[in-house]
Amino acid sequence: MQNEAIRLVEHEIKVHLVNSFTLNNKGGNPAGVVLNPPQLSDEQKIAIAKEVGFSETAFVYQGEETDFKVDFFTPEGEVDFCGHATLAVFFTLSSLNLLASGHYTQKTKAGILSVAIDAENVVMEQTLPVSRQAPNIDAVAAALGINSEIISETGLPIEIFSTGLADILIPVQFGQLDTLKPNFEAIADLSREFNTIGFHVFELSQDKEITAHCRNFAPLYGINEESATGSSSGALGCYLVKHAFPHKTHFLLEQGRAMQCSSLIHVIIDSTENTISRVRVGGKATMIGSKIIIL
């Protein structure tokens, strides 16, 4: 009877494993996707995210006021939104023939956001940008193991931006991005102090097709570096409209090069008279496989 009781409380959780923002079916950032899970506590979701071992795992429910409700968990805890996991969710639903091409809505802790699916891409809406003052340049440079001139000589500011999650956006001179020596403890301390997820560092590209190359560090949430960050990419698109390319609407961002895992992220910014009215981020994905986790 005791063994039977134990079996009754066990859950078999199927996790779909997806690479998001892939480039020619390579690179990307992996995420876990759990469709229609049983009732789970936050502790159980964290345990699943740890077992999956990716930066984020998404838990997908049928929505009440929206098509879906999605919760996002890192191995450390819940976050309000995750771009690459959102792409993974809707790519998975489409791949399993559970969704046709079209427009859908998801309820997240960051708000109700729309997602469009077609045969080639998943494009997600993000929240409108909010910006605020960032840490001083010396503290940021020290945390990245570089001289502050590598930042200051870009002529661009360090600024905190959020289109769902707040990141510290940091420009560096071309050719310096892959030479960073991040101090993850210092980055985590600054992220905690300024209530942000982490550092999103970029250099403007000399490739006509690519706008910028990026690196993302979020050690406060157990992610020392990841190869594609959708939420930070939306924020960077808004930053670039504000500070560098006021009339540009489409941005192509590369991330993950330093990890030998290059990813490609499309950002679309709608704006009129310097006021941003819509932020969208999209890309391609590839199914890795699936995993069964027993709770």
Side-chain angles (χ1 to χ4, degrees):
M1 289 293 293
Q2 185 178 7
N3 288 340
E4 183 179 350
I6 291 172
R7 282 196 298 272
L8 286 174
V9 299
E10 281 185 348
H11 293 303
E12 235 184 50
I13 306 296
K14 183 174 184 179
V15 186
H16 300 275
L17 310 176
V18 180
N19 261 342
S20 294
F21 298 117
T22 50
L23 174 59
N24 299 323
N25 290 320
K26 297 179 181 178
N29 192 8
V33 176
V34 181
L35 300 178
N36 300 312
Q39 186 171 352
L40 299 171
S41 67
D42 285 358
E43 290 73 22
Q44 287 175 311
K45 292 176 182 177
I46 292 168
I48 292 168
K50 284 182 178 176
E51 182 73 17
V52 172
F54 296 156
S55 56
E56 274 93 3
T57 294
F59 297 83
V60 187
Y61 305 86
Q62 289 297 316
E64 296 178 359
E65 67 227 85
T66 58
D67 296 308
F68 300 97
K69 174 182 175 290
V70 186
D71 296 335
F72 303 98
F73 280 78
T74 78
E76 302 295 322
E78 188 174 16
V79 293
D80 290 349
F81 177 73
C82 176
H84 83 274
T86 292
L87 194 156
V89 165
F90 285 86
F91 173 79
T92 299
L93 290 166
S94 176
S95 296
L96 296 175
N97 295 317
L98 298 174
L99 286 184
S101 295
H103 291 78
Y104 301 91
T105 54
Q106 63 168 348
K107 183 178 182 180
T108 73
K109 296 289 194 305
I112 294 173
L113 305 171
S114 67
V115 180
I117 302 173
D118 62 31
E120 294 294 322
N121 296 286
V122 175
V123 179
M124 70 200 82
E125 185 177 4
Q126 298 186 353
T127 60
L128 293 178
V130 177
S131 62
R132 52 188 167 90
Q133 188 172 353
N136 71 68
I137 189 170
D138 292 329
V140 170
L144 291 172
I146 58 176
N147 190 296
S148 62
E149 281 78 12
I150 288 174
I151 299 172
S152 63
E153 289 183 6
T154 65
L156 295 170
I158 302 170
E159 193 167 4
I160 294 172
F161 256 84
S162 172
T163 53
L165 294 177
D167 274 291
I168 303 169
L169 303 185
I170 305 158
V172 295
Q173 290 176 306
F174 181 79
Q176 299 297 321
L177 188 67
D178 294 351
T179 69
L180 304 177
K181 297 179 176 62
N183 179 326
F184 297 121
E185 185 177 348
I187 291 172
D189 287 344
L190 284 170
S191 301
R192 187 182 297 108
E193 180 183 350
F194 284 82
N195 193 26
T196 62
I197 297 297
F199 283 17
H200 197 67
V201 190
F202 70 94
E203 62 181 21
L204 296 179
S205 179
Q206 294 186 349
D207 183 329
K208 290 182 180 179
E209 299 298 319
I210 306 276
T211 310
H213 303 278
C214 310
R215 295 180 73 178
N216 187 276
F217 309 109
L220 182 60
Y221 287 86
I223 310 162
N224 282 348
E225 183 169 5
E226 67 177 358
S227 53
T229 315
S231 56
S232 304
S233 297
L236 179 57
C238 296
Y239 171 104
L240 292 172
V241 167
K242 179 179 178 181
H243 294 296
F245 308 112
H247 304 296
K248 193 165 183 174
T249 57
H250 289 69
F251 302 89
L252 200 55
L253 307 176
E254 183 276 331
Q255 186 179 330
R257 182 182 62 196
M259 303 171 70
Q260 288 76 54
C261 193
S262 280
S263 310
L264 205 57
I265 305 165
H266 298 259
V267 178
I268 306 160
I269 306 293
D270 297 340
S271 63
T272 54
E273 298 180 355
N274 299 319
T275 299
I276 292 173
S277 58
R278 193 178 187 192
V279 181
R280 287 171 288 166
V281 175
K284 301 180 185 301
T286 303
M287 188 68 72
I288 304 170
S290 62
K291 182 175 187 175
I292 301 295
I293 295 175
I294 307 296
L295 288 182

